Amino acid sequence: RKEVEQDPGPFNVPEGATVAFNCTYSNSASQSFFWYRQDCRKEPKLLMSVYSSGNEDGRFTAQLNRASQYISLLIRDSKLSDSATYLCVVIDRGSTLGRLYFGRGTQLTVWP
Amino acid sequence: GAGVSQSPSNKVTEKGKDVELRCDPISGHTALYWYRQSLGQGLEFLIYFQGNSAPDKSGLPSDRFSAERTGGSVSTLTIQRTQQEDSAVYLCASRGTDRSSYNEQFFGPGTRLTVL
């Protein structure tokens, strides 16, 4: 079983819509959680870390449920520029320091 | 400041040839990672360097793959006797020790390898 599983998408939404992505991880010892964004044929870039208490950065809200081993990302008021692939990422406690485990990504297209 | 750079950006090679991919991490970053992104497979970890040593090589898919890092900076990933299944984008990332960005890895633009 893959360490990190994501909704494969694609998600196609109009501008202004709210969209949510889900992710589950298999290792209960996972320690740190992130969402990365990857534009077409570009490198991944950190979008935001995910904290147990939930956290918000502008239009983006991330949630973590350790009991269910579940991570989510909510995007409100979608913009055309939000079109990208969103990667759910975890780091395991006790593993190589900083080694990232990636989900396969969820593709989002925002249309005008 | 300068980000992570990789060269070449694209590499087309014939099956059976050896290739070398280069990564220049952000200056001062001691941790360096190589990942591979294949079509439909997502990113997979290959190897991790802390300084010049590689405490985790567990992601290297076969003994045709090797990597080294010298001077705690530049790293090269070598693939010997390339096979078509090696075709992928090879991404390098580096991480600093600044506590405020302790876990953030900064990725280079990648090398797109095509094995014919």
Side-chain angles (χ1 to χ4, degrees), chain A residues 2 31-32 34 36 38 41-47 49 87 91 95-105, chain B residues 10 33 35 37 40-43 45 48 55-56 58-59 91 95 102-110 112:
Chain A
K2 197 165 166 53
Q31 175 181 17
S32 302
F34 310 90
Y36 273 69
Q38 186 173 27
R41 299 178 79 87
K42 298 287 189 180
E43 70 273 22
K45 293 183 179 177
L46 179 66
L47 176 66
S49 300
L87 303 167
I91 296 178
S95 74
T96 298
L97 194 59
R99 172 177 172 170
L100 301 179
Y101 290 88
F102 286 84
R104 292 187 181 182
Chain B
N10 282 282
Y33 304 79
Y35 295 89
Q37 188 169 31
Q41 295 298 314
L43 279 104
F45 167 82
Y48 158 64
D56 189 347
S58 63
L91 291 156
R95 178 174 58 77
Y102 186 72
N103 285 326
E104 182 173 1
Q105 293 184 21
F106 296 86
F107 283 82
R112 183 173 299 274

Side-chain angles (χ1 to χ4, degrees), chain A residues 20-23 35 50 61-65 70-74 88:
Chain A
F21 306 140
N22 303 318
C23 167
W35 285 99
V50 186
T61 301
Q63 296 280 350
L64 168 65
N65 183 323
Y70 173 93
I71 305 162
S72 66
L73 177 68
L74 182 77
C88 179

Side-chain angles (χ1 to χ4, degrees), chain A:
Chain A
R1 183 185 170 189
K2 197 165 166 53
E3 173 110 8
V4 181
E5 301 275 5
Q6 285 185 249
D7 284 346
F11 286 70
N12 298 300
V13 303
E15 268 189 296
T18 296
V19 61
F21 306 140
N22 303 318
C23 167
T24 57
Y25 58 96
S26 60
N27 188 346
S28 60
S30 293
Q31 175 181 17
S32 302
F33 310 90
F34 310 90
W35 285 99
Y36 273 69
R37 171 192 168 130
Q38 186 173 27
D39 292 293
C40 188
R41 299 178 79 87
K42 298 287 189 180
E43 70 273 22
K45 293 183 179 177
L46 179 66
L47 176 66
M48 60 195 300
S49 300
V50 186
Y51 303 117
S52 297
S53 55
N55 50 297
E56 190 174 303
D57 183 1
R59 297 180 294 107
F60 298 83
T61 301
Q63 296 280 350
L64 168 65
N65 183 323
R66 286 189 183 270
S68 302
Q69 296 179 205
Y70 173 93
I71 305 162
S72 66
L73 177 68
L74 182 77
I75 305 176
R76 292 183 301 278
D77 189 23
S78 298
K79 310 292 185 190
L80 297 177
S81 57
D82 294 334
S83 297
T85 296
Y86 291 83
L87 303 167
C88 179
V89 183
V90 306
I91 296 178
D92 288 346
R93 180 179 298 124
S95 74
T96 298
L97 194 59
R99 172 177 172 170
L100 301 179
Y101 290 88
F102 286 84
R104 292 187 181 182
T106 300
Q107 187 177 350
L108 171 66
T109 300
V110 181
W111 46 273

